[in-house]
Amino acid sequence: MANVALLIAGGSGNRMGQSIPKQFLTVNERPVIVYTLEAFQKHPEIDAIAVVCISGWETVLQAYANQFNITKLKYIIAGGKNGQDSIRNGVYELEKHFAPDDIVLIHDAIRPMVSADIISDCIRVTREKGNAITVIPCAEAMLQTQDGLISSGSYPRDRLKRTQTPQGFRIGKISDLHRRALKAGITNSVASCTLMIEMGEQVYFSVGSEKNIKLTTVEDIDIFKALLIAKRSEWLK
């Protein structure tokens, strides 16, 4: 049974406000996407990597893969007009090369701090349950609002999970889900986990981390730089 990482790098990163896509920004002499590629390259259970890439950057991506010895990168796939489109392009391509029961881990290319433990647990739960959504607990108080300005209600945080990636699926199952979603007119779901739920499917949780941040803003880049040099104190358990 193969385990394939599908990195989604099809976005332009408008919220970052930079002149190049955020997945190709250089941090400490390495593009962000290379950190992410290396996490899956080094994981012993990952057999191949595919990347859904923003148009015009495919050659750059391959050059970086060559430079940083990302030998597991086997497929570079064209991005779509939104996230759901890009993921569908990716899983449809993988369906041509892998068995229906093989596992795909769909991961944001701009989550470069994904750990080996997160990847391993996502694979484990997907094998056992058929899918796995990386999550972390919700630690903050959650307030309800209608207009974004005021609130008079709250929601129990112990009933909420914050989703991350990777999100694991059987390749045949997630491909079929995308076909059914198109027939149902669902074309812009926020993530694979929300698409599953919109299509009436149950999802299972695997373990994430607060360090597994998504680089969306300039402030996130600052946090990422700090995490790269951070070392846990020896007295912490």
Side-chain angles (χ1 to χ4, degrees), residues 136-151:
I136 56 175
C138 184
E140 299 84 5
M142 304 303 295
L143 300 182
Q144 297 170 331
T145 181
Q146 297 297 320
D147 59 6
L149 298 174
I150 61 172
S151 175

Side-chain angles (χ1 to χ4, degrees), residues 1-214:
M1 183 182 295
N3 301 310
V4 187
L6 177 63
L7 306 190
I8 308 303
S12 57
N14 292 331
R15 282 177 290 179
M16 189 74 75
Q18 305 301 306
S19 57
I20 67 172
K22 54 193 172 184
Q23 57 270 34
F24 290 100
L25 289 175
T26 298
V27 177
N28 293 358
E29 300 182 354
R30 255 178 166 76
V32 166
I33 195 168
V34 168
Y35 290 96
T36 315
L37 286 165
E38 286 178 331
F40 290 95
Q41 172 73 27
K42 293 174 183 176
H43 197 285
E45 292 186 89
I46 295 297
D47 300 295
I49 301 171
V51 177
V52 179
C53 188
I54 187 170
S55 177
W57 288 82
E58 299 91 345
T59 303
V60 175
L61 173 62
Q62 186 61 63
Y64 283 143
N66 296 341
Q67 179 183 353
F68 292 97
N69 201 31
I70 308 298
T71 59
K72 292 182 182 178
L73 178 61
K74 305 298 183 184
Y75 312 98
I76 298 176
I77 304 151
K81 62 179 182 290
N82 58 34
Q84 183 178 328
D85 241 17
S86 290
I87 293 171
R88 183 173 62 248
N89 288 354
V91 297
Y92 281 5
E93 181 63 28
L94 293 182
E95 192 177 32
K96 301 173 186 176
H97 307 281
F98 295 91
D101 281 344
D102 288 340
I103 288 172
V104 56
L105 300 191
I106 302 171
H107 185 70
D108 300 318
I110 51 172
R111 287 190 189 269
M113 293 294 290
V114 61
S115 69
D117 287 343
I118 289 173
I119 295 169
S120 295
D121 199 55
C122 191
I123 292 171
R124 178 189 65 82
V125 176
T126 305
R127 283 177 180 161
E128 293 176 2
K129 304 294 187 182
N131 66 68
I133 310 303
T134 303
V135 300
I136 56 175
C138 184
E140 299 84 5
M142 304 303 295
L143 300 182
Q144 297 170 331
T145 181
Q146 297 297 320
D147 59 6
L149 298 174
I150 61 172
S151 175
S152 58
S154 63
Y155 194 87
R157 65 186 179 188
D158 58 346
R159 296 184 64 188
L160 296 172
K161 294 290 186 182
R162 293 161 55 198
T163 64
Q164 300 181 332
T165 62
Q167 300 185 3
F169 307 91
R170 304 285 185 189
I171 290 175
K173 176 72 175 183
I174 191 66
S175 297
D176 181 64
L177 185 84
H178 276 277
R179 280 188 279 270
R180 292 194 288 119
L182 278 180
K183 289 181 180 178
I186 299 173
T187 59
N188 195 20
S189 195
V190 173
S192 297
C193 57
T194 58
L195 183 63
M196 285 281 285
I197 290 169
E198 287 175 70
M199 294 301 295
E201 301 283 345
Q202 183 170 270
V203 298
Y204 298 87
F205 298 149
S206 60
V207 177
S209 168
E210 291 283 359
K211 291 182 179 179
N212 185 26
I213 62 170
K214 186 176 183 180

